[in-house]
Amino acid sequence: MASTALESTSPHDWRYTAEGGANLVLSFVGARGPFTGKLLRLRKKKLAYATGLIPDEVDVEFGRRIIKPLLGEEQIVDMERVAVSKGWLVALKAALSGSEARPAHRAAEDEVDEDAGVVVLAEDLVHGEGVMAIEIKPKWGFLPSATYLSSSSRDIKTTYCRFCMHSYMKKAKSNPALAIEEHQEGYCPLDLYSGDDRRIGRAVEALWRAWELSEGAANNLRFFYEGVRVEPEEPASVAHLHSFLTGVSPLPSPIHSPSASPLPFTSSPYTLSLLVSILVPILLASPLLATLATLQASLDPLDIEGVSSQLGLHLDDDSQPPSPLLSSQPTLQEWIAWLAGRETAEAADSSSTDHRSVLLSYLLSATFKDCSIFIRLAPKPKGAALLGDASTSLNFSASVKAIDLDPKPLSRLPKYYDLDRRIVEAWKTMLEERGAEGIRKCAEGV
Ligand SMILES: [Zn+2]
């Protein structure tokens, strides 16, 4: 895409969507043209000083050279870097501050970096007329193999999943009894990744309850209608969600018998049953969750405990200096060589790998454990059903893609180890105090 084309768009054609620590995202809302369905990711800088961020160049190339071959082109969002002038970024920044769309706490901290020289142009999954986008953060989809686990963690880690134990630890700080209660009915990633329709349904129901209970603050489930986040405590916002789901669900409308309680049509249980009826078949038909779980597990065959013990990293010992193996973040070239080496090793059915490659593998597994998936539901243009579309009975099209697949810092490994140890400790203490009787195990079916 030529920068002149991009710079010919008006700064007012780009509307604020979201931002993270290093980037800010704008969606194209101008007249139909080459940028319809696109978003722009802009670099930010701290108001007071510039900090060492991972450059966009690494993200974009990492996605293209490493993530794309592993996940498949269909499962990821296309991104490209476009060079832009300082003048255009200055104008964009002015339009953005005029719109006052940024949260105040963000605007007080950082701003668009008008000297970035480049922006990232990518497919926009949330915007579009009549489009509902559902974001799920699925997290860890496997239980570790027992081989490299210590005797004190082995039984626990092969019975309860990492996400469930981590959720318990976070909630137990304020209310241990409630934390256990929520575990019994709560979201377990192994349900979502199970490939079993009833278990996926159970996972969607648990995600929905957490979304409602937390008033949208739980970040494992989010909805965007026409690019705007749906908030569970705003009736108008939920009504959009409900009427969208009613329009696309295969479920019949509920019949109101005089004896039944006079539930409003937007009652949460009914909206939830619509959501389950729509999401479960889409997730079953997409290869994405299965691919993610396979990659997470195959790239992390040792568990963080095995990585520490087999590589002699001494992550369990604070008195040891950090291993030199952890001192340099992999470059893009190293990632490319690693991926090529992995393919060769697979072809030769060889299990011999050097220490550095074990680390890269673990790090990439961490990326797949922390990504989000977007289910984009877009209404089909009228008449599409007559054109021999494979899903003629449906009046919408669905796509499932993964996002947030940036490389993780290698320097975080000691933190991963420490967190893992604390999570298992908290769970173990709970089991010792109340007994394992009746505590839901993660690998169980419905
Ligand atoms: Zn679990």
Side-chain angles (χ1 to χ4, degrees):
M1 186 64 67
S3 61
T4 46
L6 182 58
E7 291 189 31
S8 70
T9 61
S10 158
H12 299 283
D13 288 344
W14 297 93
R15 186 170 76 191
Y16 176 87
T17 294
E19 62 189 288
N23 297 289
L24 185 146
V25 176
L26 304 176
S27 290
F28 185 75
V29 293
R32 182 158 279 278
F35 296 100
T36 301
K38 298 280 185 184
L39 62 78
L40 268 188
R41 199 174 69 185
L42 308 176
R43 273 290 290 281
K44 299 200 298 188
K45 65 174 184 194
K46 293 282 173 201
L47 286 175
Y49 55 94
T51 50
L53 303 163
I54 296 175
D56 275 339
E57 184 183 8
V58 176
D59 284 3
V60 172
E61 286 300 303
F62 183 77
R64 201 168 66 83
R65 305 292 297 268
I66 308 299
I67 301 294
K68 190 154 128 184
L70 290 171
L71 269 191
E73 189 166 3
E74 301 290 304
Q75 326 286 346
I76 59 163
V77 168
D78 229 18
M79 292 195 278
E80 65 173 318
R81 302 173 80 230
V82 182
V84 290
S85 67
K86 180 168 178 170
W88 192 70
L89 280 175
V90 168
L92 209 55
K93 191 171 159 180
L96 177 65
S97 65
S99 73
E100 294 182 6
R102 296 185 66 198
H105 72 279
R106 294 281 194 188
E109 283 242 319
D110 49 32
E111 61 183 349
V112 169
D113 182 359
E114 69 266 19
D115 293 311
V118 288
V119 293
V120 174
L121 191 63
E123 184 187 346
D124 188 343
L125 296 174
V126 301
H127 273 269
E129 203 182 326
V131 168
M132 180 68 72
I134 303 166
E135 180 185 7
I136 298 177
K137 230 180 194 315
K139 304 299 283 186
W140 301 39
F142 69 105
L143 295 172
S145 98
T147 316
Y148 298 99
L149 300 179
S150 59
S151 57
S152 69
S153 72
R154 191 174 300 130
D155 287 349
I156 288 179
K157 281 187 174 177
T158 53
T159 308
Y160 307 98
C161 83
R162 153 74 187 225
F163 177 86
C164 285
M165 291 194 286
H166 193 191
S167 302
Y168 169 77
M169 185 182 84
K170 287 189 274 188
K171 292 171 188 165
K173 279 177 192 149
S174 54
N175 191 337
L178 186 64
I180 274 298
E181 211 177 287
E182 289 187 9
H183 165 73
Q184 299 296 71
E185 295 293 320
Y187 168 64
C188 173
L190 299 192
D191 283 338
L192 190 73
Y193 286 103
S194 66
D196 174 303
D197 57 352
R198 284 180 306 164
R199 290 186 69 186
I200 299 173
R202 179 165 80 178
V204 171
E205 287 168 7
L207 287 167
W208 172 271
R209 280 194 301 269
W211 178 72
E212 280 195 321
L213 272 176
S214 72
E215 300 187 338
N219 73 349
N220 292 91
L221 179 69
R222 280 179 185 148
F223 302 90
F224 298 85
Y225 183 66
E226 296 187 336
V228 179
R229 186 121 150 233
V230 177
E231 305 288 353
E233 72 280 15
E234 284 174 20
S237 185
V238 174
H240 271 310
L241 176 62
H242 182 85
S243 66
F244 178 87
L245 295 175
T246 308
V248 300
S249 171
L251 290 187
S253 296
I255 296 159
H256 286 260
S257 71
S259 59
S261 62
L263 284 176
F265 268 89
T266 54
S267 77
S268 167
Y270 179 58
T271 309
L272 174 55
S273 64
L274 293 173
L275 180 68
V276 170
S277 74
I278 293 162
L279 271 189
V280 172
I282 291 172
L283 292 174
L284 276 172
S286 161
L288 183 56
L289 283 172
T291 310
L292 278 176
T294 304
L295 284 168
Q296 289 175 1
S298 63
L299 293 168
D300 175 14
L302 305 182
D303 189 83
I304 189 72
E305 288 186 54
V307 170
S308 178
S309 62
Q310 298 303 303
L311 271 53
L313 297 178
H314 304 293
L315 296 176
D316 54 339
D317 186 352
D318 288 343
S319 65
Q320 299 272 346
S323 163
L325 277 172
L326 302 179
S327 62
S328 61
Q329 179 67 14
T331 60
L332 182 64
Q333 292 316 315
E334 199 182 354
W335 278 117
I336 292 170
W338 170 84
L339 186 60
R342 181 174 183 264
E343 282 157 3
T344 318
E346 269 178 5
D349 197 21
S350 145
S351 56
S352 69
T353 36
D354 65 90
H355 287 184
R356 184 75 176 169
S357 110
V358 170
L359 286 176
L360 263 67
S361 181
Y362 186 83
L363 210 54
L364 189 57
S365 166
T367 291
F368 290 122
K369 290 162 182 163
D370 199 33
C371 70
S372 281
I373 65 169
F374 261 93
I375 300 108
R376 178 183 161 91
L377 303 170
K380 277 184 188 166
K382 287 209 167 54
L386 302 171
L387 300 171
D389 193 288
S391 48
T392 41
S393 61
L394 301 176
N395 54 2
F396 66 99
S397 64
S399 73
V400 186
K401 296 199 175 197
I403 65 152
D404 289 345
L405 290 154
D406 298 328
K408 301 286 181 190
L410 189 54
S411 57
R412 212 175 273 169
L413 230 65
K415 288 201 183 89
Y416 289 153
Y417 185 93
D418 182 56
L419 179 60
D420 178 78
R421 191 185 50 73
R422 287 188 291 118
I423 287 171
V424 174
E425 274 309 311
W427 191 260
K428 202 171 170 183
T429 307
M430 180 278 292
L431 288 180
E432 282 163 4
E433 284 171 1
R434 79 177 291 294
E437 182 98 10
I439 302 285
R440 176 186 168 192
K441 294 174 180 167
C442 290
E444 282 177 356
V446 177

